[in-house]
Amino acid sequence: FFKQKTAYDMQRGLVGSEMCIRDRSIRISYVIRELLAFCFCACGIITLLSQFILPVTMTQKSESLKQALTDIFAVTVPSLFIWLICLYAYFHCWLNAKSELVYFANREFYKDWWNADSIQAFWKKWNLPAYELSLIHI
C-alpha cells in the first residue's frame, strides 16, 4: 500500500493517462547525478544572491534616479541567471530524477521554447505537462 500511495503522490499528473510509458528499473546513478546537479544549481543560486544581489539591495537607499537605475541594472544580469538556473534545476534535474524514481519513461517536459516564433508556440512548448493537462481537463 505504501509503495502505491507514494507513487500516486509523486505522479499526480499521470492520473487518468491511459498511455503511460514505464521503465523496468530505477537507475540509481542517474537519480544521484540529477540530484547532485539540482544541489549544484541551488548552490549557484545562493552564490549569485549573496555575491551580487544582496550587496546591492542591502546598501543605503538610493536617493537619486541615477543611483536607482544603476542599482536596478546591477541586479538584472544575476537575476536573469537565477531565473535560467531555476528553470534548468526544476524542469531538467528535478523532474528527471522524480520521473526515474516512479519508473516514468516519457521525459519530455519541454520542447524548444527558446525558438518559438509566437507567444502561442511558446506556451505550447515551455511546459508540456501543464499544457497537456490543460488540453485534457479544460
Side-chain angles (χ1 to χ4, degrees), residues 4 12 21 24 26 35 42 46 52 54 60-61 73 79 88 91-92 100-102 104-105 107-108 112 117 131:
Q4 292 171 348
R12 291 177 195 259
I21 304 167
R24 294 183 181 205
I26 295 175
L35 291 177
I46 291 170
F52 297 105
L54 288 180
Q60 293 182 359
K61 301 293 182 200
F73 286 129
S79 297
Y88 173 76
F91 282 113
H92 186 77
E100 184 72 26
L101 288 173
V102 296
F104 187 58
R107 305 284 168 76
E108 191 174 31
D112 59 341
D117 55 357
Y131 177 70

Side-chain angles (χ1 to χ4, degrees), residues 6 16 30 60 94 113:
T6 305
Y30 181 77
Q60 293 182 359
W94 180 254
W113 54 267

Side-chain angles (χ1 to χ4, degrees), residues 10 19-20 30 32 57-58 65 71 99 118 122 126 136 138:
M10 291 184 72
M19 301 296 289
C20 181
Y30 181 77
I32 291 172
T57 58
M58 299 302 281
L65 180 62
D71 290 346
S99 62
S118 68
F122 170 77
W126 89 275
I136 294 169
I138 296 178

Side-chain angles (χ1 to χ4, degrees), residues 37-121:
F38 184 81
C39 291
F40 183 74
C41 289
C43 291
I45 290 169
I46 291 170
T47 302
L48 285 170
L49 278 171
S50 64
Q51 296 294 318
F52 297 105
I53 294 179
L54 288 180
V56 173
T57 58
M58 299 302 281
T59 58
Q60 293 182 359
K61 301 293 182 200
S62 54
E63 298 177 8
S64 67
L65 180 62
K66 181 180 178 182
Q67 184 61 38
L69 289 175
T70 304
D71 290 346
I72 289 171
F73 286 129
V75 178
T76 54
V77 173
S79 297
L80 175 68
F81 282 129
I82 288 174
W83 176 253
L84 292 174
I85 290 170
C86 285
L87 286 174
Y88 173 76
Y90 180 72
F91 282 113
H92 186 77
C93 300
W94 180 254
L95 289 180
N96 277 319
K98 185 177 170 182
S99 62
E100 184 72 26
L101 288 173
V102 296
Y103 301 99
F104 187 58
N106 183 8
R107 305 284 168 76
E108 191 174 31
F109 300 112
Y110 56 89
K111 289 185 179 175
D112 59 341
W113 54 267
W114 50 88
N115 288 333
D117 55 357
S118 68
I119 193 71
Q120 185 179 11

